[in-house]
Amino acid sequence: MAVWDDVVGQDRVTAQLAAAARDADALVSAEQVGPEPARGAEPPSAEPGGASQMTHAWLFTGPPGSGRATAARAFAAALQCVSPDRALGGAPGCGFCDGCHTALIGTHADVEIVRTDLLSIGVKETRDLVRRSSLSPSGGRWQVIVLEDADRLTEGAGNVLLKAVEEPAPRTVWLLCAPSVEDVLPTIRSRCRLLSLRTPPVDAVAEVLVRRDGIEPDAAARAARATQGHIGRARRLATDERARARRTAVLKLPLRVDDIGGCLKAAQELIDAAGEDAKQVAEEVDTKETEELRAALGAAAGTNGRLPRGTAGAMKELQDKQKRRSTRTQRDSLDLALVDLTGFYRDVLALQMGASVPLANDEVRDSVQRIATASTPERTLRRIEAVIACREALDRNVAPLLAVEAMTVALRAG
């Protein structure tokens, strides 16, 4: 199975990446018998008289669920491919060799995959990446830095990254991922080759769930349709009973906002559900992290072991990190509920306009039909705008309960 097989519904993008991987492979082979290129120079063409498809910095953009990080990882694996078939004209990215396999699972010594479960990526973390990028490959063919959350770089971190992207080491490749080009500093995106991914077709997502995850075809089709092509959410919906239960509860909300009391209660339940998600993540991760740090600092085993002097700062830093992670988990869970709510009103609008498109929430067709009959397209559009406004308010750090209460009241008014 080639590394590109999990990049769903992105034929144009995979073709560009495959061409770049071939040129990169030819470049490394040429370097083994020729002089090293100048620092930061564009690689020579792998084809006589042609322009090289390879460059030192890439920016993968696309809506959530489009597979930005998956495409970046696949490209990283293709750059590290050591399949002997390449000498016979085979394309890099076989998916089976040691270079491909270790890059895809995240254990390759020369592939650094960076993602954050916090609200932002700061200057300190970015400086560590820049130092890593200046190293020559230890065993692989390229030093590859995959930054999955480039949109979460602070302004200071972006300025730190700029210099490394501007003047990279000869065999270093930066792969940045963000929802849109506007989420990255103009000075950085102007130095990257842009690849725009699209939302994958529902049928393609269902097919990969069946092939890769072994999910039953009917369940895969329902999950893909419900998430409208979001690969990660579709997989979670098909495999996690808790996610399905939470989504079912969210889809009942439009029928519960008949009065102010119902609006406020529904808002509180959404916030509580998001908080419960954050608490469950904390229970799974925080305790382990805390015990590991206490052991590393020399504290006695158990929760009552006293920390040595001078180590309280390290523990406080970990607690602050865990608190920021909990905040992001709560926001992500809440945003997921708002996306499901938007999909519900999208179905309502489709019925009101007589559109010949399949419903994303066909399992609650009766509820969708009831709301569609009792309102107008104009009111439905205002309700969708209210959900979008709530998501934007949360991005601006408005108190979650206040933002959701304002939304539910707006849903009632229509």
Side-chain angles (χ1 to χ4, degrees):
M1 183 177 71
V3 296
W4 315 112
D5 288 356
D6 286 343
V7 185
V8 182
Q10 313 290 346
D11 294 343
R12 178 183 57 81
V13 169
T14 54
Q16 293 182 56
L17 293 176
R22 286 194 297 269
D23 285 1
D25 184 61
L27 174 64
V28 173
S29 299
E31 281 186 10
Q32 292 173 350
V33 295
E36 186 176 277
R39 183 180 181 89
E42 189 78 10
S45 171
E47 308 244 348
S52 174
Q53 299 299 308
M54 184 58 188
T55 189
H56 68 280
W58 299 75
L59 176 58
F60 296 77
T61 65
S66 57
R68 301 183 303 261
T70 301
R73 287 189 179 203
F75 186 38
L79 292 176
Q80 304 292 9
C81 184
V82 293
S83 169
D85 292 342
R86 294 175 298 108
L88 304 175
C94 65
F96 294 101
C97 70
D98 183 67
C100 288
H101 178 68
T102 53
L104 288 175
I105 65 175
T107 59
H108 197 291
D110 295 318
V111 177
E112 181 76 5
I113 298 175
V114 183
R115 70 179 71 84
T116 183
D117 50 12
L118 306 179
L119 296 175
S120 62
I121 299 175
V123 171
K124 180 179 180 296
E125 298 92 329
T126 308
R127 283 178 177 158
D128 292 340
L129 281 182
V130 170
R131 281 193 290 269
R132 167 70 183 264
S133 72
S134 65
L135 302 176
S136 297
S138 61
R141 301 168 69 79
W142 296 88
Q143 182 75 248
V144 185
I145 312 292
V146 181
L147 185 53
E148 294 187 0
D149 300 296
D151 55 308
R152 294 187 181 271
L153 289 166
T154 63
E155 184 176 355
N159 291 329
V160 171
L161 179 64
L162 174 61
K163 189 67 174 178
V165 173
E166 205 169 29
E167 297 181 6
R171 294 267 288 277
T172 294
V173 181
W174 288 90
L175 308 180
L176 312 181
C177 305
S180 69
V181 293
E182 288 76 17
D183 293 311
V184 180
L185 286 177
T187 48
I188 292 179
R189 67 185 186 231
S190 65
R191 289 161 174 79
C192 299
R193 183 166 297 170
L194 176 63
L195 288 177
S196 298
L197 284 72
R198 65 189 182 101
T199 299
V202 170
D203 292 343
V205 173
E207 186 275 331
V208 79
L209 291 180
V210 173
R211 171 176 55 82
R212 184 179 59 189
D213 301 299
I215 297 169
E216 291 294 327
D218 289 344
R222 285 195 302 271
R225 184 179 64 249
T227 57
Q228 290 296 285
H230 192 300
I231 303 171
R233 287 181 54 212
R235 182 183 300 111
R236 184 177 181 186
L237 197 61
T239 58
D240 188 346
E241 180 61 36
R242 192 177 64 194
R244 291 194 291 271
R246 184 180 60 230
R247 181 172 179 275
T248 299
V250 170
L251 296 181
K252 293 178 180 178
L253 186 145
L255 300 177
R256 300 176 53 205
V257 291
D258 292 334
D259 53 47
I260 294 297
C263 293
L264 300 182
K265 183 177 180 181
Q268 186 64 62
E269 289 178 358
L270 276 183
I271 297 298
D272 290 344
E276 185 63 28
D277 273 356
K279 181 180 178 181
Q280 288 175 348
V281 171
E283 289 175 350
E284 296 170 1
V285 180
D286 290 3
T287 302
K288 180 181 178 182
E289 284 183 344
T290 301
E291 289 301 321
E292 288 177 350
L293 180 59
R294 292 177 66 87
L297 295 176
T303 57
N304 294 323
R306 299 185 64 178
L307 289 170
R309 286 187 179 181
T311 60
M315 185 61 68
K316 178 65 165 57
E317 183 178 352
L318 176 62
Q319 291 170 349
D320 290 342
K321 174 184 174 182
Q322 291 172 344
K323 184 177 180 180
R324 293 195 299 272
R325 179 170 59 207
S326 177
T327 300
R328 178 177 173 183
T329 302
Q330 183 174 6
R331 290 186 183 181
D332 287 349
S333 178
L334 189 55
D335 188 70
L336 181 58
L338 297 178
V339 169
D340 287 333
L341 198 56
T342 304
F344 180 93
Y345 285 114
R346 171 260 190 198
D347 287 347
V348 171
L349 188 61
L351 289 184
Q352 290 173 331
M353 302 301 293
S356 57
V357 295
L359 298 185
N361 303 286
D362 193 60
E363 69 274 20
V364 291
R365 177 180 285 268
D366 291 344
S367 298
V368 172
Q369 183 67 62
R370 177 177 168 183
I371 298 294
T373 303
S375 64
T376 64
E378 291 79 10
R379 294 183 67 187
T380 302
L381 285 173
R382 286 196 293 270
R383 285 166 171 159
I384 292 175
E385 290 171 353
V387 180
I388 294 173
C390 181
R391 297 182 69 190
E392 292 174 347
L394 293 172
D395 283 341
R396 295 193 299 269
N397 291 324
V398 173
L401 182 58
L402 181 62
V404 176
E405 285 178 346
M407 178 197 71
T408 55
V409 171
L411 293 179
R412 174 178 177 268

